[in-house]
Amino acid sequence: MTVTVTAELRRALGVWGWWSTLPLLAACTVVAFGWNREAAELFGNYDAQGDDQVLAQVGVLAGQRWTSGHSIGQLLALVVGAGLAVGAFRRHGDAAGPAAPPRTVLAGRMLAAVLISLALAATALTVTAVLMRGEPVATAALEAEVLAHPERYPDALPPAEVHAGVRRAVLVGLLGFPLWAVVGVGVGVLLRRVALGAALGLAYYLGTFALVSCAGHRNVLPVSVVPMFTHAAGVAVVQDPTVGWLATPVNLAVTGLLAAVLGGLALAAVSRPAAARRTEDR
């Protein structure tokens, strides 16, 4: 089985079209990087007063910008996963169908989707790192002022918490790429239409964005138990010092559970004898 999975993995990774998502994501990340200044003001403190509030808002801006490519990247990961799943059992040339069991074929495609999603994550991180170097943000003076005069800023966030919030946002976003790739595989097997899967993913993204925006990032319950693409409102939740530490593991666990359920359903669906015969007849 390992040899067959490896062969299917190489076959899937050899389709250049899926790798074209990398430059597409790079371009989208550049565009989103500029827009995320407005997103930071929308979900942060648009009128920061005092060095403590300015420092906190700089952290919000950094979190939004470091995750500029995460939302579109995760959507692309879902589309890639769905596309690989849908194409797994299509005939190519004079091939009579997959020589390996459908479950093995799909396992190889799922692994390929995860690997491509990791390449997407690396692309998003690399592009944002380059852009951040082009617009350095000096926080040393703000941090020194807040630490030196705690009596002036009794409600100030410790600088360490500001940086921790940014790291949480980036880490959660990067971990979401392979999870949504597996979700895409499940969606592809269940729907058998790439365009429909992409439309469903986009609708889900917009729905969760509206949910978090309306709920407010201090209401942790509705935003932590819903599997969520990374987006501006979700980043604000993760960065929030009062709820971010709870929302982060809960949301990752719930999203991981969704990926496990859909991935498992996909493997089970193609393993049934009737399903296997249908795929061989396609």
Side-chain angles (χ1 to χ4, degrees):
M1 178 177 177
T2 302
V3 174
T4 308
V5 170
T6 302
E8 188 62 35
L9 171 63
R10 290 176 178 173
R11 187 179 297 112
L13 294 179
V15 180
W16 69 268
W18 301 122
W19 296 105
S20 65
T21 57
L22 301 185
L24 174 60
L25 175 59
C28 292
T29 301
V30 172
V31 174
F33 187 82
W35 180 83
N36 274 343
R37 179 175 291 277
E38 283 68 36
E41 293 182 355
L42 177 63
F43 294 101
N45 186 350
Y46 69 91
D47 186 26
Q49 303 291 322
D51 290 346
D52 59 331
Q53 293 185 21
V54 173
L55 175 61
Q57 182 59 16
V58 168
V60 173
L61 175 61
Q64 297 288 353
R65 289 198 147 183
W66 271 109
T67 57
S68 295
H70 287 187
S71 59
I72 184 63
Q74 290 170 6
L75 281 169
L76 287 173
L78 183 145
V79 172
V80 168
L84 286 171
V86 170
F89 307 108
R90 287 178 175 171
R91 294 181 180 181
H92 297 282
D94 58 355
R103 183 185 181 94
T104 305
V105 173
L106 188 64
R109 293 302 180 102
M110 188 178 295
L111 182 56
V114 169
L115 291 178
I116 294 174
S117 75
L118 295 177
L120 286 167
T123 299
L125 184 62
T126 301
V127 172
T128 50
V130 171
L131 294 173
M132 290 295 284
R133 285 179 64 87
E135 294 189 19
V137 179
T139 62
L142 294 170
E143 294 178 14
E145 174 67 17
V146 170
L147 292 173
H149 301 286
E151 73 282 356
R152 297 181 188 175
Y153 311 109
D155 300 321
L157 281 179
E161 179 56 42
V162 174
H163 295 299
V166 176
R167 289 193 296 270
R168 279 199 305 270
V170 175
L171 180 61
V172 170
L174 294 177
L175 291 176
F177 279 77
L179 295 179
W180 286 106
V182 174
V183 169
V185 172
V187 170
V189 169
L190 297 176
L191 298 182
R192 297 298 178 96
R193 295 292 184 274
V194 180
L196 182 58
L200 182 64
L202 179 59
Y204 187 85
Y205 169 90
L206 296 175
T208 57
F209 181 88
L211 170 66
V212 181
S213 300
C214 294
H217 63 85
R218 291 192 179 278
N219 190 346
V220 67
L221 182 60
V223 300
S224 62
V225 299
V226 176
M228 196 178 303
F229 288 102
T230 296
H231 49 63
V235 170
V237 173
V238 171
Q239 284 191 266
D240 189 283
T242 61
V243 301
W245 64 273
L246 176 61
T248 298
V250 170
N251 193 256
L252 279 176
V254 173
T255 306
L257 179 61
L258 175 66
V261 169
L262 286 181
L265 286 176
L267 291 171
V270 300
S271 298
R272 293 196 299 267
R277 287 194 295 269
R278 285 196 298 270
T279 57
E280 290 172 359
D281 293 338
R282 287 175 63 87

